Amino acid sequence: MTGPRMDRERDRNEWTMMTPSRTTMTLDCDGIGIAAEVRGSGPAVLLLHGYPETKAMWEEVAAELSTTHTVVATDLRGYGDSAKPRGERYSKREMAADQVLAMRTLGFERFAVVGHDRGGRVGHRMALDHPEAVTALAVLDIVPTLHMFENVDREMATAYFHWFFLARADGLPEALISADRETWLRSRFTGRRHDGDRLPEAYAEYLRCFDVDTVHASGADYRAAAGIDLDHDRADRAAGRRVDVPVLALWGEHSYVGRNFDVRAAWTPYAPAVTGAPVDADHYLAEEAPRATAAALRVFLAEAVAA
């Protein structure tokens, strides 16, 4: 067999031979178990996944970054193999605190953060609440939550209808999704411009972890985004608090965000030291374009350390 698929398999095998092995664990973060994988050595970087993914999304990016960094990939509270407490304990402030505790437990007081989708929102909050810990922040295919909600139009409400559906507090989203979790999960990945380099492999892991507890937890996550997270963001804006470390914004050239926002301009009021660029991908940059994503992150992380 020849062609792009064979080339990708060859590249993955080469990466496996040259990158460090991983250690998996569950960390006790103030009573919340956070599942983590650690590999590599050097400056620490924390990778945070999006919805409805797990830390498995980072496999190829983590392998590349681990040649120069200690790479920690975790499952957010409510996702993957991390704890999934019932209730409304999913503000990005709480989810960010989990991750800071996880990194401290591993011995890292200061570290860079890379977050995709929901993980980018957790990373944004972490950089605001824990500036002593975060040395640099990269956000993948998002603009700030407050900016999104303040710029809702028909296209946003259509493309991101799940934001409003999942935020319902009447139990309807949980009931409908729980009735056929696989159909809902599949719908999050269909219709994309790219089939993705890693999506077919990672999807099996996403499906394994997308249990009823994740359905309930992710609803609470989205309700927090439409409620208490906005309160926290507005309070920061009123007080003039912004992210004061280097920020890299990467976005999918073919994603909703890439087509509808000036991403750098959207981030500038929240993070003055922001740079950014598009990646030839849709929403799932790390799965669809892992090489390009990892390359951009390596340059950014090297520059952030040197600054």
Side-chain angles (χ1 to χ4, degrees), residues 246-296:
V247 173
L248 172 68
L250 298 177
W251 62 91
E253 185 177 357
H254 313 288
S255 72
Y256 166 80
V257 168
R259 296 192 313 271
N260 288 275
F261 290 98
D262 182 334
V263 179
R264 284 187 296 265
W267 273 103
T268 298
Y270 298 83
V274 62
T275 58
V279 174
D280 183 16
D282 199 310
H283 177 58
Y284 298 100
L285 276 62
E287 296 104 310
E288 295 174 25
R291 280 276 171 131
T293 301

mmCIF file of all heavy atoms in Angstrom, residues 246-296:
data_model
loop_
_atom_site.group_PDB
_atom_site.id
_atom_site.type_symbol
_atom_site.label_atom_id
_atom_site.label_comp_id
_atom_site.label_asym_id
_atom_site.label_seq_id
_atom_site.Cartn_x
_atom_site.Cartn_y
_atom_site.Cartn_z
ATOM 1 N N PRO A 246 3.141 35.435 26.871
ATOM 2 C CA PRO A 246 2.969 35.255 25.427
ATOM 3 C C PRO A 246 1.834 34.285 25.118
ATOM 4 O O PRO A 246 1.676 33.247 25.773
ATOM 5 C CB PRO A 246 4.328 34.678 24.987
ATOM 6 C CG PRO A 246 5.294 35.113 26.027
ATOM 7 C CD PRO A 246 4.528 35.133 27.316
ATOM 8 N N VAL A 247 1.046 34.639 24.116
ATOM 9 C CA VAL A 247 -0.095 33.815 23.696
ATOM 10 C C VAL A 247 0.029 33.540 22.206
ATOM 11 O O VAL A 247 0.288 34.448 21.415
ATOM 12 C CB VAL A 247 -1.437 34.518 23.997
ATOM 13 C CG1 VAL A 247 -2.605 33.731 23.400
ATOM 14 C CG2 VAL A 247 -1.625 34.691 25.494
ATOM 15 N N LEU A 248 -0.156 32.271 21.851
ATOM 16 C CA LEU A 248 -0.229 31.868 20.455
ATOM 17 C C LEU A 248 -1.641 31.397 20.170
ATOM 18 O O LEU A 248 -2.164 30.517 20.862
ATOM 19 C CB LEU A 248 0.747 30.729 20.162
ATOM 20 C CG LEU A 248 0.622 30.089 18.774
ATOM 21 C CD1 LEU A 248 1.055 31.073 17.686
ATOM 22 C CD2 LEU A 248 1.430 28.795 18.696
ATOM 23 N N ALA A 249 -2.274 31.976 19.164
ATOM 24 C CA ALA A 249 -3.585 31.524 18.708
ATOM 25 C C ALA A 249 -3.416 30.845 17.358
ATOM 26 O O ALA A 249 -2.991 31.481 16.389
ATOM 27 C CB ALA A 249 -4.554 32.698 18.600
ATOM 28 N N LEU A 250 -3.712 29.548 17.311
ATOM 29 C CA LEU A 250 -3.759 28.809 16.054
ATOM 30 C C LEU A 250 -5.212 28.496 15.744
ATOM 31 O O LEU A 250 -5.994 28.223 16.664
ATOM 32 C CB LEU A 250 -2.970 27.503 16.156
ATOM 33 C CG LEU A 250 -1.472 27.599 16.424
ATOM 34 C CD1 LEU A 250 -0.870 26.203 16.567
ATOM 35 C CD2 LEU A 250 -0.765 28.373 15.323
ATOM 36 N N TRP A 251 -5.573 28.546 14.480
ATOM 37 C CA TRP A 251 -6.949 28.238 14.132
ATOM 38 C C TRP A 251 -6.980 27.467 12.817
ATOM 39 O O TRP A 251 -6.053 27.518 12.016
ATOM 40 C CB TRP A 251 -7.791 29.503 14.029
ATOM 41 C CG TRP A 251 -7.339 30.468 12.965
ATOM 42 C CD1 TRP A 251 -7.748 30.522 11.651
ATOM 43 C CD2 TRP A 251 -6.382 31.540 13.120
ATOM 44 N NE1 TRP A 251 -7.124 31.545 10.991
ATOM 45 C CE2 TRP A 251 -6.278 32.190 11.858
ATOM 46 C CE3 TRP A 251 -5.626 32.005 14.199
ATOM 47 C CZ2 TRP A 251 -5.442 33.271 11.671
ATOM 48 C CZ3 TRP A 251 -4.779 33.087 14.004
ATOM 49 C CH2 TRP A 251 -4.695 33.715 12.756
ATOM 50 N N GLY A 252 -8.064 26.717 12.641
ATOM 51 C CA GLY A 252 -8.244 25.984 11.402
ATOM 52 C C GLY A 252 -8.631 26.920 10.270
ATOM 53 O O GLY A 252 -9.616 27.668 10.386
ATOM 54 N N GLU A 253 -7.880 26.867 9.201
ATOM 55 C CA GLU A 253 -8.167 27.733 8.056
ATOM 56 C C GLU A 253 -9.574 27.494 7.523
ATOM 57 O O GLU A 253 -10.206 28.406 6.981
ATOM 58 C CB GLU A 253 -7.141 27.475 6.962
ATOM 59 C CG GLU A 253 -7.258 28.393 5.751
ATOM 60 C CD GLU A 253 -6.169 28.133 4.731
ATOM 61 O OE1 GLU A 253 -5.303 27.278 4.985
ATOM 62 O OE2 GLU A 253 -6.198 28.785 3.670
ATOM 63 N N HIS A 254 -10.108 26.286 7.720
ATOM 64 C CA HIS A 254 -11.409 25.911 7.171
ATOM 65 C C HIS A 254 -12.468 25.739 8.254
ATOM 66 O O HIS A 254 -13.561 25.254 7.964
ATOM 67 C CB HIS A 254 -11.263 24.620 6.366
ATOM 68 C CG HIS A 254 -10.087 24.652 5.441
ATOM 69 N ND1 HIS A 254 -10.062 25.418 4.293
ATOM 70 C CD2 HIS A 254 -8.875 24.048 5.521
ATOM 71 C CE1 HIS A 254 -8.880 25.266 3.703
ATOM 72 N NE2 HIS A 254 -8.152 24.451 4.424
ATOM 73 N N SER A 255 -12.162 26.133 9.481
ATOM 74 C CA SER A 255 -13.097 25.977 10.591
ATOM 75 C C SER A 255 -14.065 27.151 10.645
ATOM 76 O O SER A 255 -13.860 28.192 10.007
ATOM 77 C CB SER A 255 -12.340 25.890 11.916
ATOM 78 O OG SER A 255 -11.806 27.158 12.266
ATOM 79 N N TYR A 256 -15.112 27.000 11.452
ATOM 80 C CA TYR A 256 -16.029 28.109 11.678
ATOM 81 C C TYR A 256 -15.272 29.313 12.229
ATOM 82 O O TYR A 256 -15.455 30.452 11.774
ATOM 83 C CB TYR A 256 -17.151 27.703 12.645
ATOM 84 C CG TYR A 256 -17.902 28.909 13.161
ATOM 85 C CD1 TYR A 256 -18.887 29.506 12.382
ATOM 86 C CD2 TYR A 256 -17.571 29.481 14.386
ATOM 87 C CE1 TYR A 256 -19.538 30.655 12.828
ATOM 88 C CE2 TYR A 256 -18.220 30.620 14.837
ATOM 89 C CZ TYR A 256 -19.202 31.199 14.056
ATOM 90 O OH TYR A 256 -19.830 32.333 14.497
ATOM 91 N N VAL A 257 -14.414 29.092 13.204
ATOM 92 C CA VAL A 257 -13.664 30.194 13.807
ATOM 93 C C VAL A 257 -12.789 30.868 12.767
ATOM 94 O O VAL A 257 -12.761 32.101 12.659
ATOM 95 C CB VAL A 257 -12.822 29.677 14.997
ATOM 96 C CG1 VAL A 257 -11.817 30.728 15.460
ATOM 97 C CG2 VAL A 257 -13.728 29.281 16.156
ATOM 98 N N GLY A 258 -12.075 30.076 11.980
ATOM 99 C CA GLY A 258 -11.192 30.647 10.977
ATOM 100 C C GLY A 258 -11.920 31.437 9.914
ATOM 101 O O GLY A 258 -11.393 32.428 9.392
ATOM 102 N N ARG A 259 -13.126 31.002 9.566
ATOM 103 C CA ARG A 259 -13.890 31.683 8.509
ATOM 104 C C ARG A 259 -14.608 32.931 8.996
ATOM 105 O O ARG A 259 -14.913 33.822 8.195
ATOM 106 C CB ARG A 259 -14.935 30.727 7.921
ATOM 107 C CG ARG A 259 -14.377 29.512 7.211
ATOM 108 C CD ARG A 259 -15.470 28.797 6.417
ATOM 109 N NE ARG A 259 -16.683 28.605 7.188
ATOM 110 C CZ ARG A 259 -16.954 27.558 7.952
ATOM 111 N NH1 ARG A 259 -16.048 26.582 8.069
ATOM 112 N NH2 ARG A 259 -18.098 27.460 8.603
ATOM 113 N N ASN A 260 -14.870 33.012 10.285
ATOM 114 C CA ASN A 260 -15.786 34.047 10.765
ATOM 115 C C ASN A 260 -15.187 35.064 11.730
ATOM 116 O O ASN A 260 -15.872 36.032 12.077
ATOM 117 C CB ASN A 260 -16.989 33.383 11.440
ATOM 118 C CG ASN A 260 -17.909 32.718 10.449
ATOM 119 O OD1 ASN A 260 -18.793 33.350 9.868
ATOM 120 N ND2 ASN A 260 -17.694 31.422 10.229
ATOM 121 N N PHE A 261 -13.934 34.865 12.148
ATOM 122 C CA PHE A 261 -13.335 35.806 13.091
ATOM 123 C C PHE A 261 -11.955 36.222 12.618
ATOM 124 O O PHE A 261 -11.234 35.434 11.992
ATOM 125 C CB PHE A 261 -13.200 35.170 14.488
ATOM 126 C CG PHE A 261 -14.499 34.956 15.198
ATOM 127 C CD1 PHE A 261 -15.114 33.710 15.176
ATOM 128 C CD2 PHE A 261 -15.121 35.986 15.887
ATOM 129 C CE1 PHE A 261 -16.314 33.489 15.825
ATOM 130 C CE2 PHE A 261 -16.322 35.785 16.552
ATOM 131 C CZ PHE A 261 -16.922 34.538 16.515
ATOM 132 N N ASP A 262 -11.596 37.444 12.944
ATOM 133 C CA ASP A 262 -10.199 37.864 12.907
ATOM 134 C C ASP A 262 -9.635 37.419 14.255
ATOM 135 O O ASP A 262 -9.787 38.111 15.268
ATOM 136 C CB ASP A 262 -10.101 39.377 12.734
ATOM 137 C CG ASP A 262 -8.668 39.865 12.648
ATOM 138 O OD1 ASP A 262 -7.769 39.189 13.197
ATOM 139 O OD2 ASP A 262 -8.439 40.951 12.069
ATOM 140 N N VAL A 263 -9.034 36.237 14.286
ATOM 141 C CA VAL A 263 -8.718 35.583 15.553
ATOM 142 C C VAL A 263 -7.737 36.401 16.381
ATOM 143 O O VAL A 263 -7.930 36.588 17.588
ATOM 144 C CB VAL A 263 -8.193 34.156 15.306
ATOM 145 C CG1 VAL A 263 -7.842 33.481 16.629
ATOM 146 C CG2 VAL A 263 -9.234 33.330 14.558
ATOM 147 N N ARG A 264 -6.674 36.904 15.763
ATOM 148 C CA ARG A 264 -5.712 37.710 16.518
ATOM 149 C C ARG A 264 -6.373 38.957 17.095
ATOM 150 O O ARG A 264 -6.139 39.314 18.257
ATOM 151 C CB ARG A 264 -4.532 38.090 15.633
ATOM 152 C CG ARG A 264 -3.541 36.956 15.391
ATOM 153 C CD ARG A 264 -2.307 37.456 14.647
ATOM 154 N NE ARG A 264 -2.645 37.928 13.316
ATOM 155 C CZ ARG A 264 -2.562 37.194 12.213
ATOM 156 N NH1 ARG A 264 -2.143 35.938 12.295
ATOM 157 N NH2 ARG A 264 -2.865 37.688 11.036
ATOM 158 N N ALA A 265 -7.207 39.602 16.317
ATOM 159 C CA ALA A 265 -7.883 40.814 16.805
ATOM 160 C C ALA A 265 -8.829 40.491 17.946
ATOM 161 O O ALA A 265 -8.971 41.276 18.893
ATOM 162 C CB ALA A 265 -8.636 41.488 15.665
ATOM 163 N N ALA A 266 -9.493 39.338 17.880
ATOM 164 C CA ALA A 266 -10.406 38.946 18.945
ATOM 165 C C ALA A 266 -9.671 38.703 20.251
ATOM 166 O O ALA A 266 -10.198 38.982 21.346
ATOM 167 C CB ALA A 266 -11.189 37.698 18.537
ATOM 168 N N TRP A 267 -8.448 38.184 20.171
ATOM 169 C CA TRP A 267 -7.690 37.884 21.389
ATOM 170 C C TRP A 267 -6.960 39.091 21.960
ATOM 171 O O TRP A 267 -6.657 39.131 23.158
ATOM 172 C CB TRP A 267 -6.678 36.767 21.115
ATOM 173 C CG TRP A 267 -7.269 35.412 21.289
ATOM 174 C CD1 TRP A 267 -7.670 34.542 20.311
ATOM 175 C CD2 TRP A 267 -7.564 34.766 22.532
ATOM 176 N NE1 TRP A 267 -8.193 33.397 20.862
ATOM 177 C CE2 TRP A 267 -8.138 33.505 22.222
ATOM 178 C CE3 TRP A 267 -7.409 35.123 23.870
ATOM 179 C CZ2 TRP A 267 -8.553 32.615 23.221
ATOM 180 C CZ3 TRP A 267 -7.815 34.237 24.863
ATOM 181 C CH2 TRP A 267 -8.378 33.005 24.541
ATOM 182 N N THR A 268 -6.664 40.078 21.142
ATOM 183 C CA THR A 268 -5.818 41.187 21.588
ATOM 184 C C THR A 268 -6.339 41.907 22.828
ATOM 185 O O THR A 268 -5.550 42.225 23.730
ATOM 186 C CB THR A 268 -5.588 42.177 20.434
ATOM 187 O OG1 THR A 268 -4.895 41.496 19.376
ATOM 188 C CG2 THR A 268 -4.752 43.367 20.892
ATOM 189 N N PRO A 269 -7.650 42.177 22.970
ATOM 190 C CA PRO A 269 -8.104 42.838 24.210
ATOM 191 C C PRO A 269 -7.923 41.973 25.453
ATOM 192 O O PRO A 269 -7.908 42.496 26.576
ATOM 193 C CB PRO A 269 -9.597 43.095 23.939
ATOM 194 C CG PRO A 269 -9.735 43.055 22.452
ATOM 195 C CD PRO A 269 -8.747 42.038 21.998
ATOM 196 N N TYR A 270 -7.790 40.683 25.276
ATOM 197 C CA TYR A 270 -7.665 39.753 26.402
ATOM 198 C C TYR A 270 -6.214 39.365 26.668
ATOM 199 O O TYR A 270 -5.887 38.943 27.778
ATOM 200 C CB TYR A 270 -8.464 38.476 26.113
ATOM 201 C CG TYR A 270 -9.936 38.704 25.943
ATOM 202 C CD1 TYR A 270 -10.460 39.123 24.717
ATOM 203 C CD2 TYR A 270 -10.821 38.501 26.993
ATOM 204 C CE1 TYR A 270 -11.823 39.343 24.554
ATOM 205 C CE2 TYR A 270 -12.186 38.705 26.842
ATOM 206 C CZ TYR A 270 -12.673 39.134 25.615
ATOM 207 O OH TYR A 270 -14.028 39.345 25.460
ATOM 208 N N ALA A 271 -5.379 39.488 25.654
ATOM 209 C CA ALA A 271 -3.984 39.049 25.758
ATOM 210 C C ALA A 271 -3.148 39.881 24.801
ATOM 211 O O ALA A 271 -3.007 39.526 23.627
ATOM 212 C CB ALA A 271 -3.865 37.558 25.434
ATOM 213 N N PRO A 272 -2.582 40.986 25.254
ATOM 214 C CA PRO A 272 -1.905 41.906 24.338
ATOM 215 C C PRO A 272 -0.739 41.281 23.570
ATOM 216 O O PRO A 272 -0.463 41.677 22.438
ATOM 217 C CB PRO A 272 -1.415 43.020 25.272
ATOM 218 C CG PRO A 272 -2.315 42.944 26.466
ATOM 219 C CD PRO A 272 -2.652 41.505 26.632
ATOM 220 N N ALA A 273 -0.037 40.317 24.180
ATOM 221 C CA ALA A 273 1.128 39.722 23.521
ATOM 222 C C ALA A 273 0.720 38.474 22.755
ATOM 223 O O ALA A 273 1.202 37.369 23.011
ATOM 224 C CB ALA A 273 2.203 39.381 24.551
ATOM 225 N N VAL A 274 -0.174 38.643 21.781
ATOM 226 C CA VAL A 274 -0.700 37.498 21.043
ATOM 227 C C VAL A 274 -0.147 37.475 19.620
ATOM 228 O O VAL A 274 -0.047 38.511 18.958
ATOM 229 C CB VAL A 274 -2.242 37.505 21.021
ATOM 230 C CG1 VAL A 274 -2.806 38.739 20.329
ATOM 231 C CG2 VAL A 274 -2.790 36.236 20.373
ATOM 232 N N THR A 275 0.237 36.303 19.188
ATOM 233 C CA THR A 275 0.584 36.053 17.798
ATOM 234 C C THR A 275 -0.317 34.921 17.320
ATOM 235 O O THR A 275 -0.976 34.264 18.125
ATOM 236 C CB THR A 275 2.055 35.654 17.634
ATOM 237 O OG1 THR A 275 2.324 34.484 18.431
ATOM 238 C CG2 THR A 275 2.974 36.785 18.073
ATOM 239 N N GLY A 276 -0.345 34.692 16.025
ATOM 240 C CA GLY A 276 -1.216 33.630 15.564
ATOM 241 C C GLY A 276 -1.082 33.357 14.091
ATOM 242 O O GLY A 276 -0.512 34.151 13.343
ATOM 243 N N ALA A 277 -1.638 32.205 13.683
ATOM 244 C CA ALA A 277 -1.589 31.806 12.287
ATOM 245 C C ALA A 277 -2.613 30.715 12.039
ATOM 246 O O ALA A 277 -2.955 29.953 12.959
ATOM 247 C CB ALA A 277 -0.194 31.298 11.927
ATOM 248 N N PRO A 278 -3.088 30.603 10.800
ATOM 249 C CA PRO A 278 -3.989 29.495 10.456
ATOM 250 C C PRO A 278 -3.217 28.215 10.177
ATOM 251 O O PRO A 278 -2.038 28.247 9.828
ATOM 252 C CB PRO A 278 -4.677 30.004 9.182
ATOM 253 C CG PRO A 278 -3.649 30.896 8.553
ATOM 254 C CD PRO A 278 -2.903 31.540 9.684
ATOM 255 N N VAL A 279 -3.901 27.108 10.346
ATOM 256 C CA VAL A 279 -3.383 25.781 10.009
ATOM 257 C C VAL A 279 -4.326 25.180 8.975
ATOM 258 O O VAL A 279 -5.549 25.389 9.039
ATOM 259 C CB VAL A 279 -3.303 24.884 11.257
ATOM 260 C CG1 VAL A 279 -2.917 23.459 10.891
ATOM 261 C CG2 VAL A 279 -2.322 25.473 12.275
ATOM 262 N N ASP A 280 -3.782 24.452 8.015
ATOM 263 C CA ASP A 280 -4.611 23.840 6.972
ATOM 264 C C ASP A 280 -5.399 22.677 7.582
ATOM 265 O O ASP A 280 -5.003 21.513 7.493
ATOM 266 C CB ASP A 280 -3.731 23.350 5.825
ATOM 267 C CG ASP A 280 -4.552 22.777 4.670
ATOM 268 O OD1 ASP A 280 -5.773 23.030 4.614
ATOM 269 O OD2 ASP A 280 -3.966 22.076 3.818
ATOM 270 N N ALA A 281 -6.516 23.016 8.216
ATOM 271 C CA ALA A 281 -7.332 22.034 8.934
ATOM 272 C C ALA A 281 -8.699 22.638 9.161
ATOM 273 O O ALA A 281 -8.941 23.819 8.889
ATOM 274 C CB ALA A 281 -6.682 21.667 10.268
ATOM 275 N N ASP A 282 -9.605 21.808 9.668
ATOM 276 C CA ASP A 282 -10.884 22.287 10.164
ATOM 277 C C ASP A 282 -10.697 22.555 11.660
ATOM 278 O O ASP A 282 -9.686 23.127 12.061
ATOM 279 C CB ASP A 282 -11.982 21.256 9.850
ATOM 280 C CG ASP A 282 -13.390 21.843 9.911
ATOM 281 O OD1 ASP A 282 -13.712 22.497 10.911
ATOM 282 O OD2 ASP A 282 -14.183 21.626 8.973
ATOM 283 N N HIS A 283 -11.603 22.103 12.494
ATOM 284 C CA HIS A 283 -11.572 22.436 13.919
ATOM 285 C C HIS A 283 -10.533 21.640 14.697
ATOM 286 O O HIS A 283 -9.951 22.131 15.665
ATOM 287 C CB HIS A 283 -12.967 22.192 14.505
ATOM 288 C CG HIS A 283 -13.077 22.432 15.969
ATOM 289 N ND1 HIS A 283 -12.783 23.641 16.562
ATOM 290 C CD2 HIS A 283 -13.453 21.600 16.994
ATOM 291 C CE1 HIS A 283 -12.989 23.568 17.863
ATOM 292 N NE2 HIS A 283 -13.381 22.333 18.149
ATOM 293 N N TYR A 284 -10.273 20.399 14.282
ATOM 294 C CA TYR A 284 -9.470 19.478 15.090
ATOM 295 C C TYR A 284 -8.015 19.503 14.635
ATOM 296 O O TYR A 284 -7.508 18.554 14.022
ATOM 297 C CB TYR A 284 -10.071 18.075 15.016
ATOM 298 C CG TYR A 284 -11.473 18.023 15.575
ATOM 299 C CD1 TYR A 284 -12.584 18.049 14.725
ATOM 300 C CD2 TYR A 284 -11.696 17.987 16.942
ATOM 301 C CE1 TYR A 284 -13.878 18.023 15.241
ATOM 302 C CE2 TYR A 284 -12.982 17.959 17.468
ATOM 303 C CZ TYR A 284 -14.066 17.973 16.610
ATOM 304 O OH TYR A 284 -15.343 17.959 17.123
ATOM 305 N N LEU A 285 -7.316 20.566 14.966
ATOM 306 C CA LEU A 285 -5.978 20.806 14.447
ATOM 307 C C LEU A 285 -4.999 19.687 14.803
ATOM 308 O O LEU A 285 -4.237 19.236 13.950
ATOM 309 C CB LEU A 285 -5.432 22.132 14.993
ATOM 310 C CG LEU A 285 -5.821 23.420 14.262
ATOM 311 C CD1 LEU A 285 -7.320 23.653 14.299
ATOM 312 C CD2 LEU A 285 -5.082 24.605 14.853
ATOM 313 N N ALA A 286 -5.011 19.248 16.042
ATOM 314 C CA ALA A 286 -4.017 18.280 16.491
ATOM 315 C C ALA A 286 -4.209 16.919 15.855
ATOM 316 O O ALA A 286 -3.248 16.159 15.718
ATOM 317 C CB ALA A 286 -4.058 18.154 18.016
ATOM 318 N N GLU A 287 -5.452 16.580 15.485
ATOM 319 C CA GLU A 287 -5.717 15.314 14.816
ATOM 320 C C GLU A 287 -5.599 15.438 13.307
ATOM 321 O O GLU A 287 -5.096 14.544 12.631
ATOM 322 C CB GLU A 287 -7.117 14.793 15.163
ATOM 323 C CG GLU A 287 -7.320 14.443 16.625
ATOM 324 C CD GLU A 287 -8.133 15.485 17.348
ATOM 325 O OE1 GLU A 287 -7.787 16.678 17.229
ATOM 326 O OE2 GLU A 287 -9.113 15.117 18.024
ATOM 327 N N GLU A 288 -6.057 16.539 12.735
ATOM 328 C CA GLU A 288 -6.090 16.705 11.291
ATOM 329 C C GLU A 288 -4.732 17.106 10.725
ATOM 330 O O GLU A 288 -4.379 16.694 9.604
ATOM 331 C CB GLU A 288 -7.119 17.771 10.916
ATOM 332 C CG GLU A 288 -8.556 17.393 11.264
ATOM 333 C CD GLU A 288 -9.520 18.541 11.000
ATOM 334 O OE1 GLU A 288 -9.194 19.402 10.157
ATOM 335 O OE2 GLU A 288 -10.579 18.583 11.640
ATOM 336 N N ALA A 289 -4.002 17.918 11.452
ATOM 337 C CA ALA A 289 -2.716 18.434 10.964
ATOM 338 C C ALA A 289 -1.688 18.403 12.091
ATOM 339 O O ALA A 289 -1.195 19.447 12.533
ATOM 340 C CB ALA A 289 -2.889 19.847 10.423
ATOM 341 N N PRO A 290 -1.352 17.222 12.590
ATOM 342 C CA PRO A 290 -0.477 17.150 13.767
ATOM 343 C C PRO A 290 0.921 17.693 13.515
ATOM 344 O O PRO A 290 1.499 18.337 14.395
ATOM 345 C CB PRO A 290 -0.458 15.651 14.103
ATOM 346 C CG PRO A 290 -0.851 14.958 12.839
ATOM 347 C CD PRO A 290 -1.807 15.878 12.153
ATOM 348 N N ARG A 291 1.480 17.438 12.329
ATOM 349 C CA ARG A 291 2.831 17.914 12.046
ATOM 350 C C ARG A 291 2.889 19.446 12.049
ATOM 351 O O ARG A 291 3.778 20.052 12.652
ATOM 352 C CB ARG A 291 3.309 17.363 10.711
ATOM 353 C CG ARG A 291 3.809 15.918 10.790
ATOM 354 C CD ARG A 291 5.278 15.906 11.232
ATOM 355 N NE ARG A 291 5.737 14.569 11.531
ATOM 356 C CZ ARG A 291 6.857 14.045 11.052
ATOM 357 N NH1 ARG A 291 7.593 14.742 10.218
ATOM 358 N NH2 ARG A 291 7.234 12.844 11.419
ATOM 359 N N ALA A 292 1.956 20.069 11.345
ATOM 360 C CA ALA A 292 1.954 21.531 11.270
ATOM 361 C C ALA A 292 1.667 22.136 12.639
ATOM 362 O O ALA A 292 2.266 23.160 13.016
ATOM 363 C CB ALA A 292 0.919 21.996 10.248
ATOM 364 N N THR A 293 0.760 21.531 13.371
ATOM 365 C CA THR A 293 0.428 22.038 14.706
ATOM 366 C C THR A 293 1.623 21.928 15.636
ATOM 367 O O THR A 293 1.972 22.883 16.344
ATOM 368 C CB THR A 293 -0.771 21.259 15.275
ATOM 369 O OG1 THR A 293 -1.896 21.407 14.397
ATOM 370 C CG2 THR A 293 -1.148 21.771 16.656
ATOM 371 N N ALA A 294 2.265 20.766 15.648
ATOM 372 C CA ALA A 294 3.432 20.576 16.512
ATOM 373 C C ALA A 294 4.564 21.527 16.141
ATOM 374 O O ALA A 294 5.244 22.077 17.021
ATOM 375 C CB ALA A 294 3.908 19.127 16.442
ATOM 376 N N ALA A 295 4.769 21.748 14.841
ATOM 377 C CA ALA A 295 5.839 22.639 14.408
ATOM 378 C C ALA A 295 5.601 24.061 14.899
ATOM 379 O O ALA A 295 6.529 24.727 15.390
ATOM 380 C CB ALA A 295 5.952 22.615 12.885
ATOM 381 N N ALA A 296 4.369 24.540 14.771
ATOM 382 C CA ALA A 296 4.049 25.889 15.245
ATOM 383 C C ALA A 296 4.221 25.992 16.755
ATOM 384 O O ALA A 296 4.722 27.010 17.271
ATOM 385 C CB ALA A 296 2.627 26.251 14.841
#
